[in-house]
Amino acid sequence: MIKIDLHIHSKDGSDGRWHLEEIFREASIRGINLISITDHDSISSQREAAGLAQKYRMSYITGVELNVTFNHPEFTEGKDISLDFLGYNFDPDNKTLVSKLAELSSYRRKRALIILENLNSELSGEGKNILGEDDIRKIQERTEGAIGRPHIADYLIERGIVKNRQEAFDRYLVRLNLPKMHLSLEEASNLIRGAGGLLFLAHPDDPNGTSLRAVSADLSIQQKAIESSMLDNINGIECWHSRLTPKATDSYLAFARRHGLLVSGGSDCHQQPVLMGNLEIPAFVAGNFGINSF
C-alpha cells in the first residue's frame, strides 16, 4: 500500500509546529512514500525538504499554498473572499516565483505588526499588560518563514492571555484581522505554471478554513462557481483532505473526472495534532505528478 500526503506545513516555512527534520522522521515512521511540504507563501524550505525526502527514501514534489482573493458578481455578490490554492512540482529557483513570494512575505510581516498594534489597544482596554517590543521581537524570531496570525496566537497562549489558538482567534485575531496582500487566481496560476508547476484548488468544501463554503454549503453551487471562473487557471482539485467529508470527496472526484482535472490529497498537517499519512489517498494520484514507482 502506498501512502501519500501532499499537504503539510512546517515551522521552517510557515505555521507548522515542527521543523522539517522532525516532520520527515515521523513521516518515515508512518510509512509515507510520497510527500510535499506546502508552506504558506513560502518555498524557502523546498531544497532542504527534497534532501530530507531523499535521506528517508521518500518521493518528493515541491509545494506551496497560496491565498487568493476571489470575487464573482454572482457567487460572492461582488465581495472578496479568500481561497487557498496549492502549487506543485514547480522549479523552486524560478526567479519570478521567488520574487513574488518574497513580496508576499514582506507584506505578511507588515500586516502582522499592524495586527499586533491593534491587539495592544484591545489588551490595554481590558486592563491587561500590552505586548512590548521585546515580545514582538520574540514572535518574529520564532517565525522562521512567513509570519501569520497562528504565530501571534501561539505567543498569546504562552503568555497565558488565552488558553488555545481557537480562543485567540475567537477573542482577538478574527476581529482584528487585516486583508492579506491581493493575489488573483490568474496571478497565482501564472506564477506556478510559469515555474513549470501545477495549480490545485485546496480543500474546496472545508467547513473551518478558507474554502468555497464562503459561497455556499451546497456542493453543486460551489462547483458552478468553479465552472464559471476557475477552470482555465487550475490543473486540479484537492479531493482528499482532513476536513472533507466522504460525500464532498466523492462529489469533487466526479467533478474532476467530468472536467478532465487532476486530483490530489493531503492532511493539511500543522502537527497539532499530527495528522500526516492518516488519509487513504489512492496510488494513482502519484501518477498525476509523473511518479509511477517507489
Side-chain angles (χ1 to χ4, degrees):
M1 178 180 174
I2 301 300
K3 275 197 173 186
I4 297 171
D5 197 323
L6 300 179
H7 194 160
I8 297 172
H9 297 273
S10 77
K11 186 174 182 178
D12 301 272
S14 62
D15 55 349
R17 293 297 183 101
W18 289 0
H19 289 292
L20 289 172
E21 178 72 43
E22 296 169 282
I23 290 171
F24 278 87
R25 188 186 309 122
E26 179 65 22
S28 177
I29 292 169
R30 291 173 178 237
I32 293 176
N33 306 91
L34 173 62
I35 190 169
S36 181
I37 300 297
T38 53
D39 287 319
H40 298 282
D41 301 336
S42 173
I43 57 173
S44 60
S45 301
Q46 292 302 309
R47 288 293 180 198
E48 182 181 355
L52 285 165
Q54 188 173 21
K55 172 183 174 181
Y56 286 100
R57 300 178 182 277
M58 299 174 205
S59 294
Y60 187 78
I61 59 172
T62 52
V64 66
E65 186 166 22
L66 300 174
N67 186 262
V68 160
T69 302
F70 177 68
N71 187 315
H72 191 285
E74 177 184 353
F75 295 104
T76 71
E77 298 178 343
K79 298 177 182 175
D80 289 345
I81 67 168
S82 289
L83 295 175
D84 286 337
F85 289 81
L86 292 159
Y88 290 123
N89 233 10
F90 49 82
D91 174 6
D93 295 323
N94 179 274
K95 290 182 179 178
T96 303
L97 179 59
V98 170
S99 174
K100 186 64 179 182
L101 292 180
E103 188 181 349
L104 288 168
S105 180
S106 175
Y107 181 84
R108 273 178 173 268
R109 284 192 293 274
K110 294 175 184 174
R111 169 175 169 259
L113 289 174
I114 296 173
I115 291 174
L116 284 168
E117 288 178 8
N118 295 338
L119 175 62
N120 271 340
S121 295
E122 289 288 319
L123 295 175
S124 178
E126 294 173 0
K128 297 175 180 175
N129 293 330
I130 66 171
L131 302 180
E133 290 186 7
D134 191 49
D135 297 300
I136 294 171
R137 180 181 55 77
K138 287 178 180 175
I139 295 172
Q140 291 177 314
E141 285 178 352
R142 295 172 191 187
T143 305
E144 296 173 48
I147 188 170
R149 288 181 295 166
H151 301 110
I152 300 173
D154 290 345
Y155 195 73
L156 293 179
I157 297 168
E158 184 179 319
R159 284 282 306 271
I161 297 172
V162 296
K163 293 178 181 176
N164 50 50
R165 279 190 178 186
Q166 189 64 52
E167 184 182 354
F169 276 82
D170 289 345
R171 287 183 61 184
Y172 301 111
L173 298 176
V174 170
R175 188 162 44 84
L176 302 177
N177 192 28
L178 295 174
K180 295 174 183 174
M181 184 174 169
H182 186 280
L183 182 71
S184 71
L185 175 56
E186 185 177 7
E187 286 178 293
S189 180
N190 288 339
L191 278 173
I192 297 300
R193 289 171 163 176
L198 302 168
L199 191 71
F200 286 63
L201 173 62
H203 41 69
D205 187 47
D206 182 355
N208 299 326
T210 51
S211 79
L212 286 169
R213 276 292 184 97
V215 170
S216 173
D218 186 322
L219 296 172
S220 66
I221 294 176
Q222 293 176 15
Q223 291 165 10
K224 286 178 182 174
I226 299 172
E227 289 171 334
S228 172
S229 54
M230 297 187 196
L231 291 178
D232 289 343
N233 287 307
I234 61 173
N235 300 93
I237 294 181
E238 186 182 45
C239 292
W240 293 270
H241 182 272
S242 299
R243 293 190 294 274
L244 290 188
T245 64
K247 178 184 176 183
T249 292
D250 290 345
S251 178
Y252 272 102
L253 283 171
F255 178 80
R257 279 195 295 272
R258 287 199 301 274
H259 292 283
L261 294 169
L262 303 175
V263 294
S264 72
S267 61
D268 204 352
C269 179
H270 291 71
Q271 301 89 51
Q272 191 188 33
V274 180
L275 301 170
M276 58 181 156
N278 284 357
L279 296 173
E280 292 187 10
I281 298 169
F284 77 82
V285 169
N288 290 340
F289 303 97
I291 299 172
N292 296 303
S293 61
F294 294 90

